[in-house]
Amino acid sequence: MGTTTNAAPDSAPDPGAARLPRREKVYEALREELMAGRFSPWERLGEERLAEHFGVSRTPVREALARLHADGLLEKRAGGLYLYMPTFEDLTDLYELRITLELQGIRRAIDDPTVHHDAARLTTELESWQRMSDDEPAPSAGFVTVDEGFHTALLAASGNRALSASLAQVNQRIRAVRMYDYLTADRMRATIDEHIEIAELVLGGRLPTALEALADHVGASKDVVVERAANALAMARGQIGGQR
């Protein structure tokens, strides 16, 4: 992974974007690129290079970096700012929290018969993944944000906004490592198939089976990520050590 040579990714025009202050535009553009996996965790985020990348002066870049550091998306090490990389222990703890949050979305509907998933929202999400199944995207680190979209939508569909907001925060903390979960075609295929299965089970009212499928899915992903995390973190430490 590395920085793209061209500026920001394609997106639909935002009517309000032209009215945003330059520092806000840089902040949002850089945040989007970080979240899409366009920077590796051991790639130093230098003001001068980023200013050239976005075609601005160093001041809005400096302000954007400061905000992203305060957001927890960046961390200071080796005399500079880098994409946040959790320790192995942090990753394990955060994954445990992720699993707890995600399963609670289905458990609350099982425990309380008055709780129902938002069928329209979940149907839209299911249709999106069915289209992906027909036209499977190539393996990419940036796919992690697409995966997160499914899990956030599934949890939000259960009706508890606090749960989905908490999941979004956890996802942000583990994203730099989870990127390594989508670099092979088999993991892409498994993710798509399992998301479709889980959504169909929830929409069909088969909640206990859906809960089991979701537990298997997130747990399997944890096994893959933790295994690869050891290599990724070792590589990161080696890269960081070489910069000192």
Side-chain angles (χ1 to χ4, degrees):
M1 292 183 296
T3 312
T4 53
T5 53
N6 296 322
D10 293 337
S11 59
D14 181 356
R19 298 191 296 271
L20 289 175
R22 183 168 298 176
R23 63 178 180 275
E24 191 69 24
K25 291 180 183 178
V26 173
Y27 167 77
E28 292 188 358
L30 180 54
R31 185 174 185 273
E32 181 177 349
E33 292 199 18
L34 289 166
M35 293 174 68
R38 291 184 172 85
F39 295 88
S40 78
W42 45 87
E43 183 176 359
R44 182 172 179 173
L45 301 170
E47 291 179 10
E48 186 174 350
R49 184 161 60 89
L50 288 173
E52 182 179 354
H53 177 63
F54 290 112
V56 297
S57 69
R58 293 174 63 173
T59 299
V61 170
R62 185 180 305 116
E63 293 175 351
L65 289 172
R67 287 182 62 185
L68 290 164
H69 180 246
D71 290 344
L73 199 57
L74 302 180
E75 64 178 345
K76 288 184 178 180
R77 47 180 158 86
L81 285 173
Y82 296 80
L83 182 64
Y84 168 74
M85 172 67 81
T87 64
F88 196 84
E89 292 76 15
D90 287 344
L91 180 65
T92 302
D93 290 346
L94 288 165
Y95 239 100
E96 183 179 349
L97 177 56
R98 178 196 174 196
I99 292 170
T100 300
L101 291 169
E102 294 213 34
L103 297 184
Q104 181 58 25
I106 296 179
R107 281 200 181 109
R108 65 191 303 269
I110 294 174
D111 295 340
D112 185 348
T114 67
V115 173
H116 302 284
H117 282 78
D118 184 336
R121 179 169 190 172
L122 206 49
T123 297
T124 298
E125 191 68 24
L126 172 60
E127 291 172 348
S128 173
W129 286 88
Q130 288 172 332
R131 288 192 295 271
M132 263 186 271
S133 180
D134 294 334
D135 186 13
E136 187 175 327
S140 167
F143 189 75
V144 66
T145 58
V146 182
D147 173 81
E148 289 174 3
F150 171 83
H151 290 277
T152 301
L154 176 63
L155 188 52
S158 74
N160 188 315
R161 290 177 294 179
L163 285 175
S164 56
S166 296
L167 178 61
Q169 292 177 343
V170 172
N171 283 338
Q172 179 174 297
R173 303 292 285 176
I174 63 178
R175 183 178 297 124
V177 174
R178 287 200 64 236
M179 290 174 186
Y180 295 91
D181 203 8
Y182 302 102
L183 300 182
T184 61
D186 63 323
R187 281 299 301 152
M188 295 287 288
R189 183 74 257 169
T191 297
I192 293 170
D193 290 346
E194 290 166 17
H195 283 186
I196 290 173
E197 178 191 14
I198 292 164
E200 288 178 340
L201 286 169
V202 173
L203 286 168
R206 299 172 61 191
L207 297 182
T209 306
L211 181 66
E212 183 178 349
L214 180 59
D216 289 344
H217 170 68
V218 180
S221 176
K222 178 186 176 183
D223 292 341
V224 171
V225 170
V226 168
E227 178 183 352
R228 293 180 179 175
N231 295 329
L233 290 169
M235 187 183 299
R237 284 193 292 269
Q239 292 284 340
I240 294 165
Q243 294 165 0
R244 287 173 177 162

